[in-house]
Amino acid sequence: MGSVLNFVFPDTPELKQGPITNYIQSNYPYTDHFELHDGSKNIIVIETVGDSEHNPHFLNVIEYLKEKQCKVLLCYIADPVNDIKLKRIKGLLDGVDYTILSSTPSSKEFNVIYFDYFLEESTWSMYGHFFNQNINDLGYVSEDVNVDEIDVFRPYKFLSFNRNISKPHRFNLLHLYLSELKNESLFSFLFFEGEVPPTYVESDYVDNWKTKIPLQLDTIGEYQGFKTSDTFKKELFLSTCINIVTETSFDENELFISEKILKPILMYQPFIILGPIGYLKKLKSYGFKTFSDFWDESYDDIENHIKRYKKVRELILSLNEMSIEEMNELYQKTKEICIFNRQLHQSMYINSIPKILERIENEW
């Protein structure tokens, strides 16, 4: 790209906190405080967080940009963003030359470049980021699992990490854990924000569930602000047979692959996904194998989120009927896929960011 391209960041911290900002500032020349370079192709980078279209800092920046001759790169990477939200943002950006980077696919009308950031990042920072040799936010060092360690007897059936349980699929999983799975599985449920989310199944537990959290595994004491991507407590993975991944998106069917799926892949575990329609299909497009030879994965094809949850619930309960010895035998049958997935990830290197930035420059 040379010196022709100049990345420009606003002076508002809330609009430049995120992975794309960090990547650009680590690899490309940039200026702060809206400093534009004459004769350069100035691209103002805004790393949006939360409900940016209601953020006064964001709205003020948009008004400023309408007066400038530059491109704007909006980054929605850390969380899914759907077409409804993009439509509102498009209205705010009338008169602004913009491109959106997103970890969620969307309609073509919104000028979005889609890529699976968290999956890509893990392929070029696996050991620096996922198995950090330093003490992590939770106070311990994450340890890798070696393939010759996986043939151990696992005393628990399921493992599932859940931090914020305000999302309905996690809220309902909490009830399933407490009512059916607790004595033979390891789940964490840490905190709750906002209103009680809707339930997918009839139950009388709603008035009682808040008294049950936090349920902790690796987060004794501090359990809200920690970074999840470098928290791998080895013994939890070696003592459980199947990982239940509760993805960021479920109800809205936003196809968003986060760092959550990487934990079972990297730690040699088979997985069941509480996520959007087509999630397993997307993983398979990268070459990963899933576990339809061993249990029913038809939940991945169900568009209605309530029916999809009930299908996954039915699957979990059917597997839970196995004895712990039978569950260990099942793990052994899935082991070769677990090894394949880990080796595939180790062999991958995907980094779309340089090509994306070059494309933006060439489309100037």
Side-chain angles (χ1 to χ4, degrees):
M1 291 184 190
S3 60
V4 176
L5 199 62
N6 179 50
F7 293 101
V8 182
F9 292 90
D11 53 7
T12 307
E14 292 88 347
L15 301 181
K16 56 177 183 178
Q17 297 178 352
I20 301 301
T21 294
N22 295 337
Y23 185 89
I24 291 175
Q25 292 186 348
S26 297
N27 293 279
Y28 297 93
Y30 68 92
T31 56
D32 259 322
H33 308 296
F34 280 129
E35 182 184 340
L36 305 181
H37 281 180
D38 292 336
S40 295
K41 295 178 178 180
N42 293 295
I43 297 182
I44 294 181
V45 182
I46 300 177
E47 190 98 19
T48 56
V49 292
D51 249 353
S52 57
E53 66 269 34
H54 302 302
N55 183 325
H57 299 293
F58 178 76
L59 298 176
N60 289 338
V61 167
I62 294 303
E63 289 304 311
Y64 169 84
L65 294 176
K66 290 180 179 179
E67 303 173 0
K68 303 296 179 181
Q69 295 297 316
C70 57
K71 275 186 176 288
V72 179
L73 182 63
L74 291 176
C75 307
Y76 289 91
I77 300 300
D79 291 294
V81 55
N82 57 38
D83 283 4
I84 296 174
K85 182 171 183 176
L86 289 174
K87 186 174 182 180
R88 294 196 298 265
I89 294 170
K90 182 180 180 181
L92 294 172
L93 294 171
D94 184 37
V96 176
D97 186 2
Y98 74 92
T99 298
I100 293 176
L101 294 190
S102 175
S103 295
T104 318
S106 61
S107 300
K108 294 181 180 180
E109 64 179 289
F110 300 114
N111 197 23
V112 170
I113 298 176
Y114 159 64
F115 71 118
D116 291 312
Y117 172 78
F118 287 100
L119 179 60
E120 291 197 12
E121 183 201 29
S122 71
T123 70
W124 37 269
S125 64
M126 175 176 165
Y127 285 96
H129 190 52
F130 286 89
F131 300 115
N132 198 324
Q133 295 304 303
N134 299 317
I135 295 176
N136 59 35
D137 293 344
L138 298 178
Y140 63 88
V141 175
S142 296
E143 293 183 76
D144 195 1
V145 170
N146 295 317
V147 68
D148 58 2
E149 297 179 289
I150 65 177
D151 288 324
V152 295
F153 183 82
R154 298 163 184 257
Y156 297 98
K157 295 179 179 179
F158 299 105
L159 174 66
S160 184
F161 297 104
N162 301 274
R163 182 158 59 171
N164 184 351
I165 59 171
S166 302
K167 297 175 182 291
H169 60 300
R170 295 177 187 161
F171 175 81
N172 284 270
L173 188 66
L174 168 64
H175 172 61
L176 179 62
Y177 171 70
L178 292 175
S179 61
E180 303 283 353
L181 309 175
K182 184 176 181 181
N183 294 330
E184 296 181 290
S185 294
L186 300 177
F187 285 46
S188 66
F189 298 93
L190 300 185
F191 65 91
F192 169 79
E193 296 174 337
E195 300 296 325
V196 173
T199 58
Y200 299 144
V201 293
E202 291 297 327
S203 176
D204 58 0
Y205 71 98
V206 175
D207 293 335
N208 189 40
W209 74 276
K210 282 187 179 181
T211 65
K212 306 299 182 182
I213 60 170
L215 295 172
Q216 301 189 68
L217 293 175
D218 57 349
T219 57
I220 304 305
E222 187 64 34
Y223 57 82
Q224 287 205 18
F226 67 93
K227 182 174 64 175
T228 61
S229 57
D230 64 351
T231 52
F232 288 77
K233 204 156 194 177
K234 182 176 180 177
E235 58 265 33
L236 294 175
F237 295 93
L238 287 177
S239 62
T240 51
C241 297
I242 299 175
N243 199 298
I244 300 174
V245 178
T246 57
E247 260 297 0
T248 306
S249 178
F250 188 80
D251 290 27
E252 300 294 336
N253 277 330
E254 301 151 328
L255 186 53
F256 179 81
I257 296 178
S258 75
E259 80 288 349
K260 299 173 184 65
I261 185 57
L262 297 169
K263 291 195 172 185
I265 288 176
L266 297 180
M267 304 299 270
Y268 298 102
Q269 283 196 314
F271 48 80
I272 296 169
I273 304 294
L274 272 168
I277 182 176
Y279 189 95
L280 295 179
K281 184 178 180 180
K282 184 63 177 177
L283 285 180
K284 291 175 186 177
S285 74
Y286 286 101
F288 293 107
K289 295 180 180 180
T290 62
F291 303 92
S292 58
D293 288 345
F294 308 102
W295 56 72
D296 182 7
E297 291 185 334
S298 62
Y299 64 84
D300 194 54
D301 301 320
I302 300 174
E303 183 174 3
N304 181 280
H305 64 277
I306 296 176
K307 292 180 179 179
R308 188 168 62 256
Y309 173 81
K310 290 182 177 180
K311 191 69 174 179
V312 175
R313 180 179 182 272
E314 177 185 305
L315 168 61
I316 293 170
L317 289 175
S318 68
L319 292 171
N320 193 56
E321 291 178 0
M322 293 182 174
S323 68
I324 191 61
E325 290 77 17
E326 291 171 327
M327 188 71 87
N328 274 267
E329 291 175 6
L330 178 61
Y331 174 82
Q332 287 297 318
K333 292 176 182 178
T334 68
K335 181 178 70 173
E336 292 307 314
I337 290 180
C338 297
I339 294 171
F340 174 87
N341 284 341
R342 167 64 186 255
Q343 291 177 341
L344 174 65
H345 184 273
Q346 285 183 285
S347 69
M348 296 172 71
Y349 181 89
I350 314 171
N351 186 359
S352 299
I353 299 177
K355 290 183 178 180
I356 289 172
L357 298 179
E358 182 178 0
R359 169 181 164 183
I360 293 171
E361 179 183 9
N362 292 338
E363 290 177 351
W364 197 282

